[in-house]
Amino acid sequence: MNDLNKADEINSSQDGVSGRVPELLGRDIAPLGEIIEAYPIRTGVSADRKYKVHFYGYDGAYLLRLFDETALAFKRSEFEALHRMQAMTVHCSRPIAMGRWETEGTYFLLVSYIDGADAQRTLPASPKPQQLRVGMQAGEELSRISCYPAPEGTESWSNRYIRRTRHELDLLKAKGITSRGVEAATAKICSSANLTAARPSVFLHGSFQPANLIVHGGRLAGVVGFGGFDWGDPLYEFARLGLYSRGVSTLFCTGQILGYHGGQEPDSEFWELYALYAASGAVSLLAKTAENKHGGLNTAIEWVDRLAGDHDGFSNVRPSWFAAL
């Protein structure tokens, strides 16, 4: 797995299951009762302790997450969001229970477990038609996710977008981070930021990419990794596509765009915003990496330069790989 993708992965928790955890056996969690099998999940970079668990009398597996009190309010919001996703027929984990764990200051979140492997690992070796199909299924899921409107009183997307982007651009300037791609992305943002005015604000998954998409039997089984959710323009979910997903499968990327639009090529408004948000995603990646003490900046710059090349220095709003079937 690429280091940058791994660092940005919020919760690709369906892999990395290892040996049993005896201390969890016999614990009761309402409404399911007694845990009879428990296995730690080693993947992901969140602070949560994650386990694949089974309960007496139930055939399916469940995902148990343990976290401390500082994350409680955010986890409650995530739990509520998963409930709303069920109502919108999004294929994702079903929220089961949440509460205080036996250890003081520790809480738990229990959701259904989605069998399969993440698309980041499976797609590169998959047949081309399958890559496209999984992408289209992902786009359909994303269109349903974006049907959840932001709570009343949420600050406008445009204000939040412009404030955050200015901060990130100032950070890159202060650290002297530049390249041909960085300059092109910066110019695109400065010339097109006005497009965010009056854009809607809805639920954003926050890390919609192959690492958080579970594939089983050659089809998309579900979406995971809702821990980084936010509110904003639904098209901002595509900000990572040309950076992260593009390196996994361009056919998947094409499929995601087509699936989001009901199988049709999108209109010019989408492409204008897509290019803006692709540039914004590039700046966000660089700003985040610049503050990361573990390195990766050179790789991030390479990705940004590749992105700018796909858009011919952002003179083209549609990337060169789109619909190259």
Side-chain angles (χ1 to χ4, degrees):
M1 182 184 296
N2 187 289
D3 289 343
L4 282 170
N5 260 354
K6 183 176 181 181
D8 199 62
E9 179 184 344
I10 301 298
N11 175 28
S12 182
S13 57
Q14 310 309 97
D15 300 311
V17 177
S18 56
R20 294 191 179 193
V21 185
E23 60 267 26
L24 291 185
L25 304 185
R27 301 284 183 93
D28 283 332
I29 299 181
L32 299 184
E34 179 183 339
I35 297 175
I36 57 172
E37 291 185 31
Y39 307 90
I41 297 173
R42 307 296 186 186
T43 57
V45 295
S46 73
D48 296 356
R49 287 171 284 159
K50 302 182 289 291
Y51 306 90
K52 180 181 181 181
V53 297
H54 295 263
F55 290 87
Y56 179 78
Y58 293 86
D59 292 333
Y62 298 84
L63 175 65
L64 174 66
R65 306 178 68 99
L66 302 181
F67 54 92
D68 62 35
E69 192 169 6
T70 59
L72 182 58
F74 191 83
K75 295 293 186 182
R76 282 176 176 158
S77 297
E78 181 183 353
F79 191 71
E80 178 187 347
L82 286 174
H83 271 294
R84 293 293 296 267
M85 294 298 104
Q86 300 300 308
M88 294 168 185
T89 67
V90 174
H91 291 85
C92 63
S93 295
R94 186 175 73 259
I96 306 297
M98 182 176 176
R100 186 187 297 272
W101 193 242
E102 296 178 8
T103 307
E104 184 177 353
T106 301
Y107 294 81
F108 73 88
L109 174 63
L110 183 70
V111 300
S112 61
Y113 185 89
I114 303 175
D115 282 314
D118 71 71
Q120 179 172 287
R121 302 185 186 192
T122 61
L123 282 181
S126 299
K128 289 184 177 180
Q130 183 176 315
Q131 295 180 36
L132 182 66
R133 179 173 67 241
V134 171
M136 293 193 70
Q137 292 167 342
E140 292 167 3
E141 294 294 325
L142 189 56
S143 69
R144 288 191 282 269
I145 290 172
S146 66
C147 291
Y148 183 3
E152 192 172 335
T154 301
E155 185 182 9
S156 76
W157 162 246
S158 184
N159 287 349
R160 286 180 289 128
Y161 167 81
I162 290 173
R163 181 171 61 247
R164 180 174 62 196
T165 304
R166 282 177 177 169
H167 170 74
E168 292 168 343
L169 288 172
D170 288 345
L171 177 65
L172 297 188
K173 184 177 180 180
K175 290 184 175 292
I177 298 172
T178 187
S179 72
R180 184 174 299 179
V182 175
E183 292 174 0
T186 300
K188 181 61 179 176
I189 293 170
C190 292
S191 66
S192 302
N194 62 301
L195 296 177
T196 62
R199 288 295 299 168
S201 193
V202 303
F203 181 87
L204 301 181
H205 177 277
S207 186
F208 198 88
Q209 56 182 306
N212 283 322
L213 302 174
I214 305 303
V215 176
H216 186 69
R219 301 184 66 83
L220 182 65
V223 183
V224 297
F226 284 82
F229 78 88
D230 198 358
W231 308 99
D233 185 345
L235 299 188
Y236 193 72
E237 294 277 29
F238 289 90
R240 298 167 177 262
L241 197 70
L243 284 168
Y244 296 80
S245 304
R246 187 253 197 249
V248 177
S249 167
T250 55
L251 284 172
F252 167 87
C253 295
T254 290
Q256 181 177 316
I257 292 172
L258 293 175
Y260 185 85
H261 292 91
Q264 304 298 313
E265 182 168 346
D267 60 19
S268 59
E269 181 184 26
F270 169 83
W271 286 122
E272 291 290 347
L273 284 161
Y274 174 86
L276 169 63
Y277 291 149
S280 303
V283 168
S284 292
L285 170 64
L286 289 169
K288 184 176 181 179
T289 308
E291 294 181 316
N292 184 356
K293 297 178 181 179
H294 301 294
L297 183 59
N298 288 338
T299 301
I301 291 175
E302 290 176 8
W303 286 13
V304 172
D305 287 348
R306 181 187 66 186
L307 173 72
D310 288 341
H311 289 269
D312 193 16
F314 286 101
S315 61
N316 295 327
V317 292
R318 195 174 85 159
S320 57
W321 47 255
F322 179 75
L325 305 179

